Amino acid sequence: MTDKEEAEDATRSAPSRLGRPPDERLPGPKTSVCSRSYFVVVMVFFHVYIINVIALLLYVHYSSGQEDARPGPPRDAPSSDKQNPQPPRQPSKAPLPRDIFLPRIEGIRVGHVQKVTLVPGKVHEMRTLSLKPLLFEIPGFLSEDECRIVMQLAQLKGLMESQLMVQDGQEELAKELNLSPEEIFNLLDINRDGQLQLHEILTHSRVRDGIWLTPENLQEIYAGLKADKDGNGLLNLEEFRLLSADAFQRFLLQRGVKRSQLVRNSRHTWLYQGKGAHQVLQDIKTRVTRLTRLPTTLVDLSEPLQVVRYEEGGHYHAHHDSGPFYPETACTHTRLAANASTPFETSCRYITVLFYLNSVDGGGETAFPVADNRTFDEVSLIQNDVDLMDTRRNCDKSNLRVKPTKGKAVFWYNYLSDGRGWVGEQDEYALHGGCVVTHGTKWVANKWINIDPDYQRQARYEQLVSHQAEDEDDEDLILNSNIHQEL
């Protein structure tokens, strides 16, 4: 980010929108990039999820409790002081009534200002930043003291690297799905021309944490692995067979990888917000509940507060906080109640609330590359050697950028409405990233509201948690189980 752009951003009360009209880029009909078939292939290559250990332990404990439970004594048996333990209660398998409907704030139009009361005796202004995605900003959401305390609590707990080097396991997942190289090639060949172009490879490689591939990187990999035999920058099926599922990552690791080459370069930690947490953290959760107007239970059962620090040079390339939802996909937070076997799992984050804990000296804007675009076409994110998802090179080309200002909050919906008061399809326009920090340090916090698009599964999960809390007589054991997954 240049100094000139920073000065331009600072003079505006709302985030900057660049000169080109929002419908100038990404024309054309919606492609099949996000189809279910493509989704499966993307998962095979780079989408290896970490099953949360604590959720697994809860599940094992729950299952073993059922197996070990014995029938009670006969009616005429003598009473005993030591009764056999009762098995944990299961949520009913019968369809549950639709008695919860999600309120959704109307954006009206870009620039529209609404008055909201989040704390006693104070009125905040909430400004609409875009309609696609439905995005708002609230200046002064946090006080200076609250920002300072959150940063101090994060430092006290200790921050870890947000992204480790490439994880193993993609080959095993590919074998499990039993897809041949021909099938994978055909699914990746979006335009059906019998060759894989650079943008087709780059697009499918950017779903999960990994090494951020540029067109230059890809051509270097082709040369190093001797895959592109004719040197035309395209791969036919015979050339594609030379590449294994994680050949890209292994090659770059052998050549040496800098942190600037990763999808994200930051450090983070999680802060619990339930009973017994610092009062400031509980107050923030209460304020988020009022802001989003969602039932308290949904906010309570969502992820803890994530605090992230970006040093100079830190960034996060454009991404979605939640993946598209298909029958083959399980939500991480309701997996405990899903009782389904699937290799695909995603964090179903209905709403993202992002807080800026400090004002950044240079760079660090939150960029929404395709906000309010007329159409969305994932492949067209890379045009004429301009990669809109690259927040180190092309943040200035995003449709919308939000400048980090201490205490300000922005929030947006990652999913559309289904028209019946529940979660619908993924909002593809919610693509966003963190621009590179050019001067100083950037501190932010994220509060995600997790809701399963499958209403029955969400309801059964809440039922299960409620029953376990009654059995354990300690709701905090459930709420503090950190059943979440990073995206």
Side-chain angles (χ1 to χ4, degrees):
M1 208 55 50
T2 65
D3 293 335
K4 179 178 179 182
E5 289 164 346
E6 295 165 24
E8 292 174 350
D9 284 338
T11 60
R12 297 182 175 96
S13 58
S16 62
R17 291 175 176 273
L18 301 185
R20 61 180 177 81
D23 61 350
E24 180 179 329
R25 186 174 274 278
L26 313 187
K30 180 181 174 75
T31 69
S32 61
V33 174
C34 290
S35 67
R36 188 177 302 170
S37 302
Y38 185 76
F39 174 77
V40 170
V41 176
V42 171
M43 291 290 194
V44 171
F45 269 73
F46 293 96
H47 211 142
V48 180
Y49 288 105
I50 303 172
I51 299 177
N52 186 277
V53 176
I54 298 179
L56 182 60
L57 290 176
L58 284 173
Y59 180 80
V60 171
H61 171 73
Y62 170 69
S63 300
S64 63
Q66 273 192 303
E67 295 170 359
D68 294 341
R70 299 175 182 178
R75 186 175 299 177
D76 58 349
S79 62
S80 170
D81 293 337
K82 210 169 192 179
Q83 297 285 340
N84 287 329
Q86 294 297 317
R89 286 169 287 180
Q90 289 193 58
S92 171
K93 294 297 182 183
L96 298 171
R98 288 286 296 267
D99 55 359
I100 300 177
F101 298 91
L102 303 177
R104 193 175 177 93
I105 300 173
E106 293 293 332
I108 311 299
R109 64 182 180 279
V110 173
H112 178 71
V113 176
Q114 306 178 48
K115 305 289 186 180
V116 292
T117 302
L118 305 175
V119 294
K122 184 176 182 179
V123 175
H124 288 83
E125 289 189 347
M126 181 172 66
R127 181 181 294 105
T128 302
L129 299 184
S130 74
L131 300 178
K132 298 190 306 183
L134 193 51
L135 169 67
F136 306 89
E137 75 168 1
I138 308 96
F141 186 93
L142 299 179
S143 68
E144 287 195 15
D145 282 345
E146 288 173 328
C147 291
R148 175 180 53 81
I149 289 172
V150 171
M151 289 188 290
Q152 290 175 341
L153 288 172
Q155 290 173 313
L156 183 63
K157 183 173 181 181
L159 290 87
M160 66 187 78
E161 294 290 346
S162 296
Q163 179 184 336
L164 301 176
M165 288 303 180
V166 184
Q167 303 166 7
D168 298 325
Q170 284 121 356
E171 296 286 359
E172 293 181 5
L173 185 58
K175 291 178 182 178
E176 181 181 342
L177 292 172
N178 195 29
L179 291 174
S180 68
E182 291 85 352
E183 291 171 320
I184 296 174
F185 181 90
N186 289 332
L187 290 171
L188 293 179
D189 185 15
I190 298 169
N191 60 7
R192 300 294 188 266
D193 65 352
Q195 295 179 314
L196 295 184
Q197 303 174 37
L198 287 176
H199 69 266
E200 290 174 323
I201 296 292
L202 291 175
T203 299
H204 92 267
S205 72
R206 294 175 178 175
V207 177
R208 187 80 170 116
D209 288 346
I211 298 171
W212 185 260
L213 297 175
T214 65
E216 296 82 5
N217 294 149
L218 201 52
Q219 291 171 339
E220 180 184 3
I221 292 171
Y222 287 174
L225 297 177
K226 299 180 179 178
D228 184 15
K229 294 182 177 180
D230 53 16
N232 65 351
L234 306 173
L235 294 184
N236 57 34
L237 178 58
E238 179 182 352
E239 293 169 333
F240 179 72
R241 291 177 185 274
L242 300 176
L243 302 178
S244 61
D246 57 355
F248 301 154
Q249 311 283 16
R250 288 203 313 266
F251 178 80
L252 287 181
L253 285 175
Q254 291 170 358
R255 296 289 298 269
V257 178
K258 301 177 181 178
R259 294 212 60 82
S260 61
Q261 293 177 283
L262 299 177
V263 170
R264 55 177 166 170
N265 179 13
S266 61
R267 298 178 65 86
H268 77 275
T269 192
W270 301 89
L271 298 179
Y272 171 62
Q273 293 182 283
K275 294 179 181 178
H278 194 285
Q279 189 60 48
V280 166
L281 298 178
Q282 295 190 56
D283 290 345
I284 291 173
K285 185 180 70 170
T286 300
R287 211 171 302 163
V288 167
T289 305
R290 292 174 180 165
L291 172 68
T292 59
R293 307 171 190 175
L294 294 174
T296 302
T297 303
L298 289 175
V299 181
D300 286 343
L301 293 179
S302 294
E303 296 169 67
L305 186 73
Q306 185 194 51
V307 182
V308 188
R309 183 182 70 201
Y310 296 86
E311 302 292 346
E312 190 167 309
H315 69 279
Y316 195 170
H317 289 305
H319 61 283
H320 289 96
D321 282 347
S322 290
F325 186 82
Y326 298 117
E328 297 88 352
T329 310
C331 291
T332 301
H333 75 288
T334 56
R335 183 83 181 244
L336 188 65
N339 194 26
S341 176
T342 171
F344 304 143
E345 196 172 325
T346 189
S347 293
C348 298
R349 293 164 170 165
Y350 178 58
I351 288 178
T352 296
V353 186
L354 172 65
F355 315 99
Y356 297 106
L357 302 178
N358 73 323
S359 298
V360 183
D361 295 335
E365 298 92 341
T366 303
F368 293 81
V370 293
D372 283 331
N373 251 46
R374 183 173 57 85
T375 59
F376 179 89
D377 181 355
E378 190 172 3
V379 175
S380 296
L381 290 169
I382 306 173
Q383 286 187 4
N384 302 323
D385 297 326
V386 174
D387 183 355
L388 291 179
M389 298 178 69
D390 191 330
T391 59
R392 293 185 63 86
R393 295 182 177 183
N394 299 313
C395 259
D396 61 321
K397 296 178 177 61
S398 293
N399 284 357
L400 173 65
R401 298 192 306 277
V402 182
K403 186 174 179 61
T405 304
K406 181 188 292 187
K408 180 167 65 178
V410 291
F411 86 95
W412 63 89
Y413 294 87
N414 294 301
Y415 291 92
L416 304 171
S417 171
D418 69 348
R420 297 174 297 165
W422 200 248
V423 182
E425 296 181 354
Q426 179 193 36
D427 189 342
E428 296 168 321
Y429 294 90
L431 184 74
H432 66 284
C435 300
V436 62
V437 177
T438 56
H439 299 288
T441 302
K442 172 185 173 183
W443 283 87
V444 297
N446 295 294
K447 181 62 180 177
W448 286 293
I449 311 300
N450 304 102
I451 304 178
D452 197 321
D454 185 328
Y455 179 88
Q456 295 295 321
R457 199 158 64 190
Q458 177 70 33
R460 289 195 176 96
Y461 168 70
E462 293 182 25
Q463 192 178 75
L464 175 61
V465 169
S466 175
H467 288 168
Q468 285 190 349
E470 292 173 7
D471 293 338
E472 305 257 351
D473 197 28
D474 188 355
E475 187 177 3
D476 286 341
L477 291 178
I478 304 300
L479 300 184
N480 197 26
S481 59
N482 283 356
I483 38 183
H484 63 264
Q485 175 179 336
E486 295 174 61
L487 278 185

